[in-house]
Amino acid sequence: MSLDPARSLAAALEPFTGQVYFSPECHAGYEALGFGPSGGEVGGVQMPEIEAYFTSRGSVMGQVPGEVVAAAFGVFKPAIVIPSVAAGWAKTDASTIEAARTEGAVGQLRRILGDEPDGLDRAVDLLDRATAELEPAGKPLYAGLRSQDVPDSPLGAAWRLADMLREYRGDAHVAVWTAEDLDACEIGMMTELYWGLPTRSYSRTRGWDDADYDATSVRLVARGLLADDVLTDEGTRAREAVEVATDRACRPVVAALGDDLPELVDILSTWSTVIRAAGGYPAAGPVELAEAARR
């Protein structure tokens, strides 16, 4: 089954942008600011340290409190996010850790791809076109990234612009599922089942515990979305509808790229394959799990 163009683009850019959360260069930069080391290695990929993750990603919105970061990220348990951000701001400030985030992300890309990977200039042109007219309304992380300077180097510019697209889709996704009267734990449980993962597995990385899951299961069963820890037909339709609506929210990106979207997907996909092979991003991230579930 072919993916919607917006989903194809999301799949292609995810490892290129999301490698920032697994970059040894980022982890080293955060450690220099007083954060703990990487959260350990899984499959040859260095996992993020929790306080540095929330603080660095949230820093693009400025030195906001943990409640704001939890609201923007959406899927994490606020009780995990809020103290992590408070601890982060006790160590550093937003501009300093955002600079470390950018330097580390571009540093890993340069180490893996080189200064000028094939298609770089064309990718920058297309990414700039894709982001130029996107409206920030209701998109807090995207808007935060727009407020940051674009790095001078072409590779840095490509990463920043691609990260804008990643967060634009993520912001839209949160808006969609909250409009469907789903809460963070509910969308987490539904998503892992939608991907074909065991219940209470992937979403546990978002801070939820068994008490949260027990209460969430009761609510999903009452709505006819879950039965015996499996999505019902209605639950599957509801979860796919969230993704379709997210695709729809990304139509401005697709329209801006027009017939050049497949070219950008090809460039980013090539880079992302190399990044994965080098251990810069997990072998199977969220987008791949979602793709597999559709086959």
Side-chain angles (χ1 to χ4, degrees):
M1 183 183 299
S2 62
L3 289 179
D4 180 277
R7 262 187 257 189
S8 294
L9 181 59
L13 63 79
E14 172 61 24
F16 177 67
T17 57
Q19 56 81 25
V20 63
Y21 304 115
F22 309 99
S23 162
E25 289 85 348
C26 283
H27 299 325
Y30 303 152
E31 277 194 79
L33 297 177
F35 291 88
S38 161
E41 189 174 294
V42 177
V45 179
Q46 290 193 19
M47 296 293 110
E49 191 273 336
I50 188 169
E51 291 180 2
Y53 168 76
F54 289 124
T55 308
S56 63
R57 186 181 174 202
S59 70
V60 303
M61 299 184 292
Q63 198 145 334
V64 297
E67 289 84 352
V68 174
V69 175
F73 287 16
V75 295
F76 291 87
K77 186 174 182 176
I80 301 296
V81 180
I82 294 168
S84 294
V85 173
W89 293 145
K91 296 178 175 72
T92 189
D93 59 73
S95 61
T96 299
I97 195 169
E98 194 286 318
R101 179 181 190 266
T102 298
E103 182 178 353
V106 179
Q108 169 156 263
L109 291 175
R110 185 174 293 116
R111 170 171 54 82
I112 294 174
L113 299 176
D115 285 323
E116 298 182 358
D118 289 345
L120 178 59
D121 289 342
R122 179 60 169 161
V124 172
D125 288 344
L126 292 175
L127 289 165
D128 184 58
R129 187 204 305 175
T131 57
E133 302 298 328
L134 292 181
E135 294 292 339
K139 310 290 192 304
L141 287 165
Y142 164 75
L145 282 168
R146 284 213 74 95
S147 73
Q148 305 297 321
D149 292 334
V150 175
D152 292 333
S153 71
L155 188 61
W159 176 73
R160 170 74 84 226
L161 295 168
D163 202 28
M164 287 183 193
L165 292 182
R166 181 183 190 270
E167 296 292 25
Y168 185 91
R169 183 180 180 92
D171 288 335
H173 188 61
V174 173
V176 169
W177 57 256
T178 52
E180 292 300 316
D181 197 26
L182 293 166
D183 66 30
C185 193
E186 289 169 352
I187 193 65
M189 287 190 74
M190 291 180 70
T191 296
E192 61 196 1
L193 292 170
Y194 172 73
W195 289 345
L197 296 176
T199 187
R200 309 183 184 207
S201 58
Y202 182 86
S203 64
R204 199 175 289 273
T205 65
R206 275 52 184 153
W208 307 106
D209 57 30
D210 284 332
D212 299 317
Y213 289 130
D214 289 345
T216 296
S217 294
V218 170
R219 296 193 299 274
L220 292 176
V221 169
R223 292 180 62 174
L225 304 176
L226 186 72
D228 298 323
D229 284 335
V230 176
L231 286 179
T232 62
D233 289 345
E234 178 56 30
T236 299
R237 283 193 294 270
R239 182 58 187 81
E240 173 63 13
V242 167
E243 217 61 40
V244 170
T246 304
D247 293 337
R248 189 162 56 247
C250 293
R251 282 179 180 171
V253 176
V254 174
L257 290 169
D259 292 340
D260 293 325
L261 187 147
E263 182 184 1
L264 180 58
V265 167
D266 285 345
I267 295 170
L268 292 171
S269 295
T270 299
W271 295 348
S272 289
T273 297
V274 175
I275 291 166
R276 272 206 177 87
Y281 187 86
V287 175
E288 289 67 40
L289 293 169
E291 278 191 66
R294 288 169 55 86
R295 296 192 186 112

